[in-house]
Amino acid sequence: MKSVRCGVIGVGNMGAYHARGLAEGRIARAMLTAVSDLDATQLTQFPNLPGFTDSRALIRSGLVDAVLVATPHYDHTTIGADALQNGLHVLVEKPLSVHTADCHRLLAARTNPQQVFAAMFNQRTDPYFQKIRALVRGGELGELRRLSWTITDWFRTDAYYASGGWRATWAGEGGGVLLNQATHNLDLWQWMFGMPARVRAVCGLGRYHPIEVEDDVTAIWEYANGATGVFTTTTGEAPGTNRLEVAGDRGRLVYENNLLRFTQTTGLVSDFRRQSPQHYARPAQTEQVFEFPNHGGQHAAVLQNFVDAILDGQALIAPAAEGIGAVELANAMLWSSLRNAPITLPLDATGFAHQLRQLCATSQFKKTTAHKQHDEVAPYLVKDQ
Ligand SMILES: NC(=O)c1ccc[n+]([C@@H]2O[C@H](COP(=O)([O-])OP(=O)(O)OC[C@H]3O[C@@H](n4cnc5c(N)ncnc54)[C@H](O)[C@@H]3O)[C@@H](O)[C@H]2O)c1
């Protein structure tokens, strides 16, 4: 194969963005050969391509080697599994699925190791997060002690939530800010620092918007080594903050406002604490500031990497199997809040799926949907979130 024939399933806001990137030739050695959307009017954006209102017909058309699934979240599982079972390579939008039981089902559908299966975690291409990961995993910070990420700049208006019938309902989306916006941060967190052992959280359901799912979260996580993490997110605050602070036994990292500041102590803080005879002394330290010219290749880089993995066996930036971490954290925080109790990880996947089914079954929420307006999108190159 010299070039990968790609189909995009779900050509709404994000899927159309991916499809245009492919159609405009921005991804080397890949071409857009078919699109699918339940809504036939969406297909008219691509008048010169075969369009399918049923994803199953596209998957079985013989027109594609790979599909990018950009439908609402629940369908990631069913459509992704169908494509994998029919021998296609699959790139699924975030989140991998709505809950971990579905993640397991979707991951199990790939039985041929030659099939490339990736997830669209575009923020992994950001040099700031790559640098933080390298410093932490390289041991530059020593053993982790305390993590804190305030990521409250995911502001959304009520009009955003009204823009799609599936958005912000238990039955349509399966969650709110944790599954949709902050899923990027949850993926990055587990990719950079690993998974905690226990989670407790307070989630505000419709605290700011007329929705039934969470739009405000404050959580405390505990790691097996005693390290703690605080994760705060919302779509209701403006201007909002994006500040990540990591303290380890050899110093501290702070990432905020496009600057990464790394303060490293000359030895271990724990040794200094035990050995210094002085009461108020601090360990000596050096400071490095990292500033990168941009936030990496984002969506286009993940899609190019997917194509390169198919053609050349290149290692994936975001293998789908790693997408379960963000879903598990999102599910655990929501469940902790609903039960007013800590949740131990790994999560009881069946128990949470049952909880979500109950939320769907008992929902009294009436969704009003406004006319859909597509967001302005940048050219298919670098798009921030
Ligand atoms: N990686 C990112 O930065 C990013 C950004 C935005 C959205 N997303 C993800 O993309 C997905 C779609 O979000 P969106 O904002 O584009 O939503 P959207 O509502 O604008 O588009 C979804 C499209 O899927 C179509 N659709 C629904 N069910 C379908 C089915 N069974 N088969 C085919 N088409 C179907 C709808 O008609 C619609 O056109 C979500 O999972 C979201 O999390 C990712």
Side-chain angles (χ1 to χ4, degrees):
M1 198 195 305
K2 288 204 174 97
S3 174
V4 180
R5 299 171 306 154
C6 298
V8 176
I9 301 179
V11 281
N13 185 34
M14 204 60 215
Y17 177 67
H18 294 308
R20 278 194 298 273
L22 282 160
E24 289 164 8
R26 292 176 192 272
I27 306 299
R29 301 187 297 164
M31 54 188 157
L32 182 68
T33 51
V35 287
S36 168
D37 200 291
L38 271 186
D39 177 355
T41 58
Q42 296 282 44
L43 300 175
T44 59
Q45 299 174 85
F46 303 94
N48 301 323
L49 283 177
F52 299 85
T53 48
D54 185 342
S55 65
R56 290 169 299 185
L58 180 148
I59 287 168
R60 289 161 183 75
S61 66
L63 294 171
V64 296
D65 308 305
V67 289
L68 198 166
V69 182
T71 59
H73 319 327
Y74 277 106
D75 296 315
H76 295 182
T77 310
T78 44
I79 296 175
D82 187 38
L84 287 165
Q85 283 157 356
N86 281 282
L88 301 181
H89 304 286
V90 175
L91 174 56
V92 70
E93 260 297 351
K94 58 79 190 164
L96 184 61
S97 289
V98 167
H99 55 77
T100 54
D102 266 2
C103 288
H104 291 302
R105 266 194 283 281
L106 175 54
L107 292 169
R110 173 180 176 260
T111 50
N112 177 358
Q114 303 302 316
Q115 276 175 284
V116 175
F117 187 17
M120 181 53 83
F121 284 110
N122 45 286
Q123 294 203 18
R124 288 190 183 197
T125 66
D126 188 322
Y128 286 98
F129 298 122
Q130 291 178 345
K131 185 74 192 172
I132 296 170
R133 185 171 188 257
L135 290 169
V136 168
R137 291 167 76 99
E140 297 290 318
L141 232 75
E143 191 177 352
L144 297 184
R145 301 287 195 222
R146 186 186 302 282
L147 304 140
S148 166
W149 201 343
T150 303
I151 172 77
T152 54
D153 62 354
W154 285 118
F155 185 71
R156 294 289 185 273
T157 61
D158 292 354
Y160 163 82
Y161 286 108
S163 72
W166 64 279
R167 290 194 196 282
T169 63
W170 298 122
E173 186 164 12
V177 62
L178 287 172
L179 269 192
N180 195 323
Q181 290 79 23
T183 188
H184 287 294
N185 312 98
L186 297 177
D187 175 65
L188 290 170
W189 183 305
Q190 59 95 33
W191 181 65
M192 296 186 291
F193 315 124
M195 290 290 280
R198 214 154 75 122
V199 167
R200 65 185 78 192
V202 177
C203 299
L205 306 183
R207 178 173 176 197
Y208 292 106
H209 305 89
I211 58 175
E212 64 177 340
V213 300
E214 83 287 351
D215 58 4
D216 184 65
V217 179
T218 305
I220 298 178
W221 304 354
E222 295 166 79
Y223 277 80
N225 75 340
T228 50
V230 177
F231 184 81
T232 312
T233 194
T234 182
T235 55
E237 276 176 31
T241 296
N242 183 355
R243 179 185 165 91
L244 172 63
E245 182 166 327
V246 187
D249 202 20
R250 276 212 69 192
R252 184 192 59 197
L253 279 173
V254 178
Y255 172 54
E256 190 175 18
N257 296 332
N258 294 323
L259 276 187
L260 174 60
R261 225 171 259 283
F262 176 32
T263 312
Q264 191 178 43
T265 55
T266 46
L268 295 183
V269 178
S270 51
D271 286 344
F272 183 86
R273 193 180 61 237
R274 277 191 291 268
Q275 292 159 9
S276 173
Q278 295 172 333
H279 292 188
Y280 303 114
R282 298 276 197 283
Q285 60 195 39
T286 54
E287 185 171 85
Q288 280 175 278
V289 178
F290 300 97
E291 194 174 359
F292 297 100
N294 58 48
H295 290 279
Q298 296 287 329
H299 305 85
V302 174
L303 186 44
Q304 185 65 64
N305 167 252
F306 175 63
V307 168
D308 295 345
I310 295 168
L311 294 176
D312 311 327
Q314 192 179 94
L316 288 174
I317 293 169
E322 295 179 12
I324 197 168
V327 177
E328 187 164 23
L329 288 167
N331 292 173
M333 284 187 274
L334 177 63
W335 211 12
S336 164
S337 182
L338 293 170
R339 292 170 60 174
N340 193 21
I343 299 290
T344 303
L345 302 183
L347 183 82
D348 167 5
T350 314
F352 178 78
H354 177 69
Q355 167 78 78
L356 191 54
R357 272 195 298 277
Q358 270 190 328
L359 286 167
C360 296
T362 56
S363 170
Q364 303 286 318
F365 186 73
K366 296 273 175 286
K367 178 94 200 217
T368 48
T369 308
H371 178 68
K372 184 169 167 56
Q373 274 195 334
H374 281 278
D375 291 350
E376 280 284 303
V377 285
Y380 202 72
L381 205 58
V382 176
K383 186 168 184 262
D384 262 357
Q385 318 283 9

